[in-house]
Each structure stands twice: as structure tokens, then as C-alpha cells.
Amino acid sequence: MRHIISIMLENEPGALSRVAGLFSARGYNIETLTVAPTEDESLSRMTIVTTGSDDVVEQITKQLNKLVEVVKVVDLSEAAHIERELMLIKVRAMGKEREEMKRMSDIFRGRIIDVTENTYTIELTGTGAKLDAFIQALEHSAILETVRTGASGIGRGERVLKV
Amino acid sequence: MELTGAEIVVKCLQAEGVEYVFGYPGGAVLFIYDELFNVTNAVTGIATAYMDSIPMVIITGQVPTHAIGLDAFQECDTVGITRPCVKHNFLVKDVKDLAVTIKKAFYLARTGRPGPVLVDIPKDVTSARCPFEYPETVAMRSYNPVVKGHPGQIRKAVQLVAEAKRPMIYTGGGVILSDASKQLTKLVKLLGFPCTNTLMGLGGYPATDPQFLGMLGMHGTYEANMAMQNCDVLLAVGARFDDRVIGNPAHFGQVQRKIIHIDIDPSSISKRVKVDVPIVGNVSDVLEELTRQLEASGYKPDQKALSTWWSQIGLWKSKDCLKYDKKSKIIKPQFVLERLYEITKGDAFVTSDVGQHQMWAAQFYKFDKPRRWINSGGLGTMGFGLPAAMGVQFANPGATVACVTGEASIQMCIQELSTCKQYRLPIKIVNLNNKYMGMVRQWQQFFHGNRYSESYMDALPDFVKLAESYGHAGIKVEEPGDVEPALKEAFKRKNDLVFLDFVTDQTENVYPMVQGGKGLTEMILAEEL
């Protein structure tokens, strides 16, 4: 099963490699990983999307909690949550393709953030599945480059992850 | 008062009550040595400590901060190399952070599930100066180990224990590490249940007590393994159901039983075996509370059920699974260990290396006290025995220390005979020399069609001469009749290191044996061959 795990950890050098090392050493799977400092600069917030049986995910959260620099761990998928991912996608846009591409971007609520004579760069936010759908909707040869951030997640409602 | 980083390190170690520092001098640590290690050589030791949850602080010298990342001479990413085998590690980049980092290192190493913590100090940090103040306490928001067990969970455990018809208590290294053998013994006595210890847990419950079933696991006793498999309520204390202990978890799970698991590390719980009542906390605290609640509930053992259970255990015991040929004309390794136990009156500190001799020592030396059996369980580090004996002797000057080893293991760290001479450590080395890496040979015999590839030792040194060349005494023993006199002679020499080289039966195997991947009760017994 797919799980989205949120981690608050000390914003210190090496903390990321401890988390990444744990996943590789124990053979856990990382689908995506994103990390950045929070409003409190001494803390980083990391979101990891992983897959595994319930037993494996239980071990993952326990092992993460064991890392000395990890302050809190929450499996967001245990309750209602929101997740978003950002994609920047550079597409070919020439001649009458330009209009078509613009319309497609609008349908997916994307924004064109860079324009050249032959290309558009589109910014698109949503769940991973929505970004996948956008890619599917385009003609494959029109895609010049994509970059995705991986999912960030947050609990719905009043559920708060704070130290 | 301003101190240099090196002086700060020494002050910090004094403040933590450190009496002995083990190390090796080198360029990057010279400032510390003026008043400490070559990290790549220490990695095996660190990993050994990590697997067995041994509290240890390692201080390493690093190239100066300005040279880090530039492939400087003797530069090595110590924090990176050791990261997977430490509880935590630090690189100190500013002398002002040094004292508090060392405080944190000791705090982390000793609390929670103990483990090794490494502090890497660049050379310029050891020579830089700053005012010194050692913090009394240290708090870390990201690290708050649980001590007390959840009272509700303990209440559930009390209920389960009270209803048990075929109970079993299985305890591991956690009992030793949390100094809980008194609490454990009291509880086991109160309950009247059978008790087994893991390899790391030996001495946690007195081995000469009738309620003790011996060690369990791959080379555990028949009765311990059978009782473990067939119990209806299992109380696991400071142990982690590892593969050498319960064998194949699917086979273990074929029998329905309720499991209570006490451990300080939540990740040890329900890792290989699903448990019914998890209790996270410090073993000694939880055992005390469990005993208190049992007494308060007016617990009385179900004598009828227990006596049926004990007679079943008696039947298993009658297999006499540790028997060996006592009339052998060649020295049997088991015989040497039985005599060692008798001659040292069961009161020696025994360290071991890794292999057959380790298992025989665990089976035949009856440890009645905790912290008397020092071996490498989790990592199985050959070469552990002699350095461990040195540490034990330093910590307990005047105590009887025996290192049980084999001719392969001892050669992993044989150079330490020199350190033993330099510091006059009167260790007694009991070398069970069968000219084979015995455990490897045993596996080759059982599972690889007797193909003894590379496990024989055709080019061994003369250990007596070797010991003598380091300035120690050596005795070679070839006849069963000479075993006892030689041991007596060695232990009489209180001030000397004596190297006892016992020429033992090359064909002897460790029984019982559970093959890797097999079920705990699928044991190979001596009589079956």
C-alpha cells in the first residue's frame, strides 16, 4: 500500500542522509522525498511517499522515530489529508500547437510561466495522479523536459503536526 | 578559564567518570594524546557494539576543518562511514560546541536502548581555545526515551500471566543492560515459571537455578526450544526474537500463543513476531511494576497446570541434549569448559570469540550473575575475545578473566598480546584448538557434503612459543588427563597471562542445532547422527 509519511527533523547537516540511509539499509522503498526548512528554521519538514505492507510501514515509522534527529513522525495516510506536487514541464509549442497547448494547460489549471518562440514552460500543481494525467494527455513527442518535486502532504482539518 | 579543545575533551571524559580510554595515536589526534584513533580500524568494533546495544563513546580525530572535503592526507568521512553502525554521531566544527556535544554523546550512549555514539573532532578544533563549562544535564527535543511502561498494558500482562497454563519466560540482553536481573529473578520465582536466556542474556537469570532451562535458539537446549515453541503464554523481556533465537518466524507462528513483550525499543516489538501485549519501557522499571501489580492482585500460581507443564518439560530435559563422550581419548571441548567452570567456581568473567567455542562456553559455563559473559552476539565478530578480556581486566583488576577462543579467532587480534604485556593484564586464554574454523566445518559437514573448503588450518603457529615471544606463559595440553592440572596451574598464576592451547577433537559438533531457516523445534541432536 502507498503511504505518505511526514517527518519533522532537526535542520542539521547529515540529517537527510540519516533518513535516506535508513531506507536503503533496511530495503525500504522511497517513491518520492521532499524536504525544506519550516517557519522555525531549526526544523525541517520532510514528506516521504513509500509503499509497503502494514507491517513494513509500521517498522518504517518506528525506525524513523529512532533516529536521534527526528522530532516527530506521522503517517498522513492514516487519516484525511491533502497532498500536492509541483511539476514544471517544458513542451513544444509551435504554430497551431500553441493554442492547443494553452488550452490543455488551462483545463488542468496550469500556468504558463515561460515562453519562447517554440516552447512553453508550464507550472502545474496537484496530486501525483493529476500530474500523470496531464502528461498522458499530451502528445509524447511534445514533451521536452519535466521536473517534479515529489509530494508534500498535510493533514486535513484541525490536525496539526507541530513540535 | 580558557582551555584548548584537547583539554576540554579530557575534562569532559573525567566529568563522565571515564577511567580508561582505548585508542591509537595518529597525526590528527596528537593534541588530544598530549594531555586518542584510527577510525577505519574501529568500524568493526563500533558495529559490534551497535548490534549488541553496548553503550560506547568513540572520539576520533579529523583533518582540520579547512581541509575537510579536499581529499587531504588521512582524511576520511568518519561521520559518513560510521553512520549505519552508530546510534548517533557528531562532527564538531567549533570548539564552543565541543563540551555540550560530548555531554550529548554520553547521554545518548547510556540512555534508551544504549549504543555507540561517535564524536569526530577536527585537528584545529582540538587546538582552538574557549571557556570551558561542562553542562550538568542535557535535553534534546528529538530524543525522549520512554522509561516507565504503560500501566494499562502492564495490567493486561498481569491478566495473561495469571491465566497461563503453559507459560514461558524468555529474556535477552536488555535484562543485562538495564541491570534488571534481580527484578527478573524475583518475578520468575514469584511466578514459578520456566525461564530461558538468549546468548546475550546469559547471567540475567541464575543458570544453576532449577527454573532455568538453559539458553534457547540455534544452539539452545532441547527443553528451552520445545518450551518456547509449545507455551501458551510467552513473556519476552529485553529480547528481540531474532533469527538465531526463534528460527523461522512462520514455523514459530504455527503454534497459537499469547505474547507479552517488554522492550525499551518500540522498533524491536512486532518486528519479526506479532505480539499481543507490547510494553515499551525500561526493563527493570517495567518488571518492578509488573511484580508489584501481581503481588497486589493476590496472584497464586495455578499449581495443577504448572505441575503438568513442568513434567512435560522434565520429559524434554531427559533427552540430555548436551551430552557428549566423556570417555573420549581425545580432549572434548565441552570437557574443557566444564572443568573451567568448576575450577573458577563459576565466578570468572568469561569473554569469547565467535564460533563453536562460543556456543560451548554459553552451554557449559553456568552464569549465575549478570555481566560475567561478554561476547559478540549480533555481529559475531571474530577477534572480539581478547580485546574484550582486556577491557574486563582493566575494569576489574584482580578479577579472574578467561578468554575462551579458537585457533582461528584468536589470530584476528593476536597482536594484543603485546598490549597485555605492556599493561600487565593476567588474562587466561583458553584456546580450543581443533585446527578448523569449527563452526564453518560443522556447516560444511551438515549442509555442504563434507566439502571442507578453506576451513582447515594447516599452517598454525606454535601458540606456546608465540605467547612466550610476547613475554607470556604458554601451556600446550594434548591429553584429557592433563586438562584439569593445566587449568589449575594457569589460574594459580594470578599475575601472569597464560595461554592454554588445548588440542581438541576435530570432529566434535555443537548440538543441538537448528539449521538456518528451519523451525525452532527442528533440531539436529547428537544421537541422530
Side-chain angles (χ1 to χ4, degrees):
Chain A
M1 249 250 299
R2 179 177 180 274
H3 287 255
I4 175 160
I5 296 170
S6 250
I7 306 160
M8 295 283 252
L9 69 167
E10 299 286 354
N11 183 9
E12 272 166 23
L16 168 64
S17 70
R18 281 181 217 279
V19 174
L22 167 67
F23 274 75
S24 68
R26 292 188 181 263
Y28 305 144
N29 182 27
I30 298 183
E31 243 169 52
T32 70
L33 184 157
T34 103
V35 61
T38 63
E39 76 282 3
D40 170 356
E41 282 216 351
S42 70
L43 282 170
S44 292
R45 169 103 174 218
M46 186 182 281
T47 309
I48 294 181
V49 176
T50 183
T51 49
S53 64
D54 290 351
D55 291 352
V56 168
V57 174
E58 182 184 331
Q59 267 298 311
I60 291 176
T61 52
K62 282 174 167 178
Q63 294 292 346
L64 284 168
N65 264 310
K66 238 171 102 170
L67 294 176
V68 167
E69 283 160 342
V70 168
V71 186
K72 259 187 187 169
V73 180
V74 168
D75 183 352
L76 287 177
S77 20
E78 277 178 350
H81 67 279
I82 303 159
E83 61 176 272
R84 289 291 181 271
E85 182 176 355
L86 169 73
M87 172 167 69
L88 302 178
I89 180 164
K90 192 171 286 184
V91 291
R92 199 183 58 218
M94 290 187 295
K96 56 181 196 289
E97 280 175 345
R98 288 178 83 84
E99 192 49 35
E100 174 63 21
M101 201 54 89
K102 167 95 174 54
R103 200 162 47 237
M104 193 65 92
S105 169
D106 289 344
I107 294 169
F108 281 83
R109 297 183 205 289
R111 294 200 304 149
I112 296 173
I113 53 170
D114 187 45
V115 178
T116 71
E117 251 172 62
N118 300 318
T119 67
Y120 282 155
T121 301
I122 303 168
E123 172 196 325
L124 196 64
T125 312
T127 61
K130 176 184 161 183
L131 305 188
D132 291 342
F134 184 66
I135 290 171
Q136 291 294 319
L138 298 181
E139 194 193 323
H140 188 73
S141 65
I143 301 173
L144 301 173
E145 189 181 348
T146 60
V147 50
R148 298 172 66 155
T149 58
S152 285
I154 197 161
R156 256 193 201 284
E158 293 185 9
R159 197 162 151 236
V160 167
L161 176 59
K162 228 178 158 60
V163 175
Chain B
M1 185 178 54
E2 289 228 326
L3 297 180
T4 66
E7 289 164 339
I8 288 174
V9 171
V10 174
K11 288 271 183 208
C12 292
L13 296 180
Q14 284 169 345
E16 290 293 340
V18 173
E19 287 183 58
Y20 299 98
V21 176
F22 301 85
Y24 208 90
V29 288
L30 275 179
F31 285 117
I32 306 181
Y33 265 95
D34 268 354
E35 296 302 308
L36 282 174
F37 186 5
N38 188 338
V39 71
T40 53
N41 291 318
V43 168
T44 310
I46 298 171
T48 305
Y50 184 63
M51 288 296 280
D52 290 338
S53 310
I54 303 302
M56 176 162 102
V57 173
I58 310 102
I59 293 174
T60 50
Q62 184 57 272
V63 299
T65 43
H66 61 79
I68 289 178
L70 303 175
D71 301 315
F73 175 62
Q74 293 194 333
E75 178 182 358
C76 152
D77 176 10
T78 301
V79 166
I81 274 188
T82 57
R83 191 175 294 128
C85 59
V86 292
K87 183 170 172 181
H88 197 60
N89 57 18
F90 298 96
L91 169 65
V92 183
K93 286 188 168 165
D94 188 330
V95 69
K96 291 197 221 52
D97 300 332
L98 187 53
V100 70
T101 306
I102 294 177
K103 182 74 195 176
K104 279 184 187 167
F106 275 90
Y107 172 63
L108 288 171
R110 281 172 174 150
T111 54
R113 180 175 177 171
V117 180
L118 181 142
V119 182
D120 196 26
I121 313 176
K123 188 166 178 168
D124 54 329
V125 174
T126 62
S127 61
R129 291 176 164 273
C130 84
F132 172 70
E133 192 188 349
Y134 199 59
E136 294 269 311
T137 55
V138 63
M140 297 166 78
R141 63 177 167 185
S142 60
Y143 178 77
N144 301 291
V146 179
V147 176
K148 300 276 179 208
H150 192 282
Q153 291 296 91
I154 297 177
R155 207 171 317 127
K156 278 190 209 158
V158 167
Q159 265 171 14
L160 267 186
V161 159
E163 289 161 11
K165 306 281 180 221
R166 300 186 314 277
M168 179 70 169
I169 297 173
Y170 140 65
T171 81
V175 170
I176 313 286
L177 290 164
S178 77
D179 289 316
S181 62
K182 261 200 194 116
Q183 289 87 337
L184 174 71
T185 308
K186 189 179 169 193
L187 177 70
V188 178
K189 287 280 148 201
L190 172 72
L191 291 169
F193 293 177
C195 180
T196 180
N197 290 163
T198 67
L199 180 69
M200 293 310 293
L202 292 172
Y205 188 81
T208 53
D209 185 273
Q211 277 168 256
F212 186 64
L213 302 193
M215 178 175 78
L216 84 164
M218 183 175 261
H219 295 294
T221 65
Y222 185 74
E223 54 270 29
N225 287 353
M226 293 302 281
M228 183 81 178
Q229 181 79 353
N230 293 295
C231 64
D232 69 340
V233 173
L234 178 64
L235 174 62
V237 187
R240 57 188 179 93
F241 295 88
D242 86 82
D243 55 308
R244 286 316 197 244
V245 167
I246 59 147
N248 185 334
H251 181 277
F252 187 67
Q254 284 169 7
V255 181
Q256 288 293 313
R257 62 178 91 66
K258 294 285 183 197
I259 303 177
I260 304 158
H261 191 180
I262 306 170
D263 205 288
I264 198 152
D265 177 3
S267 75
S268 283
I269 294 177
S270 292
K271 181 168 65 178
R272 294 192 81 234
V273 170
K274 274 267 170 218
V275 308
D276 303 279
V277 182
I279 306 175
V280 178
N282 184 31
V283 166
S284 61
D285 291 82
V286 177
L287 287 178
E288 235 163 61
E289 177 59 16
L290 185 61
T291 308
R292 201 192 60 75
Q293 284 199 25
L294 262 173
E295 284 171 337
S297 73
Y299 166 81
K300 288 213 173 51
D302 181 346
Q303 289 299 357
K304 202 172 149 234
L306 272 184
S307 83
T308 313
W309 179 228
W310 273 111
S311 40
Q312 173 63 63
I313 291 169
L315 283 178
W316 289 328
K317 236 179 201 168
S318 65
K319 278 253 185 190
D320 193 13
C321 67
L322 298 181
K323 63 177 173 257
Y324 66 92
D325 180 10
K326 301 209 181 195
K327 293 191 192 103
S328 168
K329 293 204 166 46
I330 312 166
I331 299 174
K332 288 287 183 184
Q334 300 98 319
F335 176 73
V336 176
L337 290 160
E338 278 186 332
R339 296 288 86 76
L340 174 70
Y341 171 72
E342 284 160 20
I343 285 159
T344 57
K345 303 187 177 61
D347 205 30
F349 289 85
V350 180
T351 74
S352 95
D353 268 299
V354 169
Q356 286 183 315
H357 64 268
Q358 177 187 24
M359 294 302 131
W360 283 316
Q363 292 173 333
F364 287 89
Y365 201 100
K366 301 181 188 72
F367 295 96
D368 278 342
K369 294 179 192 162
R371 298 186 186 270
R372 290 303 176 103
W373 167 239
I374 297 97
N375 82 131
S376 164
L379 197 70
T381 308
M382 289 172 75
F384 177 87
L386 181 56
M390 290 160 58
V392 171
Q393 191 79 72
F394 270 119
N396 304 276
T400 304
V401 182
C403 166
V404 177
T405 184
E407 77 292 330
S409 280
I410 191 68
Q411 292 192 84
M412 295 268 170
C413 283
I414 194 81
Q415 75 285 0
E416 296 303 332
L417 285 175
S418 159
T419 318
C420 291
K421 187 69 191 173
Q422 188 158 338
Y423 293 93
R424 297 185 177 80
L425 302 172
I427 296 159
K428 307 298 176 275
I429 297 172
V430 178
N431 186 36
L432 301 177
N433 185 347
N434 58 4
K435 302 189 177 65
Y436 269 107
M437 291 172 201
M439 193 58 92
V440 176
R441 190 205 54 77
Q442 178 169 343
W443 283 54
Q444 287 170 330
Q445 179 191 334
F446 287 3
F447 316 122
H448 297 274
N450 302 307
R451 294 183 301 275
Y452 300 133
S453 168
E454 303 307 322
S455 60
Y456 59 94
M457 309 277 276
D458 252 356
L460 287 169
D462 179 330
F463 286 108
V464 171
K465 281 187 186 159
L466 185 63
E468 286 170 356
S469 74
Y470 279 104
H472 302 299
I475 307 174
K476 187 170 187 172
V477 188
E478 291 172 288
E479 300 290 329
D482 296 334
V483 169
E484 206 167 308
L487 281 165
K488 279 186 174 157
E489 156 76 14
F491 284 98
K492 225 185 278 166
R493 300 175 67 161
K494 293 272 180 224
N495 299 319
D496 301 324
L497 183 150
V498 184
F499 194 116
L500 291 149
D501 187 24
F502 294 97
V503 179
T504 61
D505 189 349
Q506 295 191 284
T507 63
E508 191 57 49
N509 291 320
V510 182
Y511 299 109
M513 175 170 191
V514 179
Q515 190 186 343
K518 291 272 188 185
L520 186 54
T521 53
E522 299 175 310
M523 287 172 268
I524 306 171
L525 297 174
E527 63 194 2
E528 287 167 10
L529 288 153

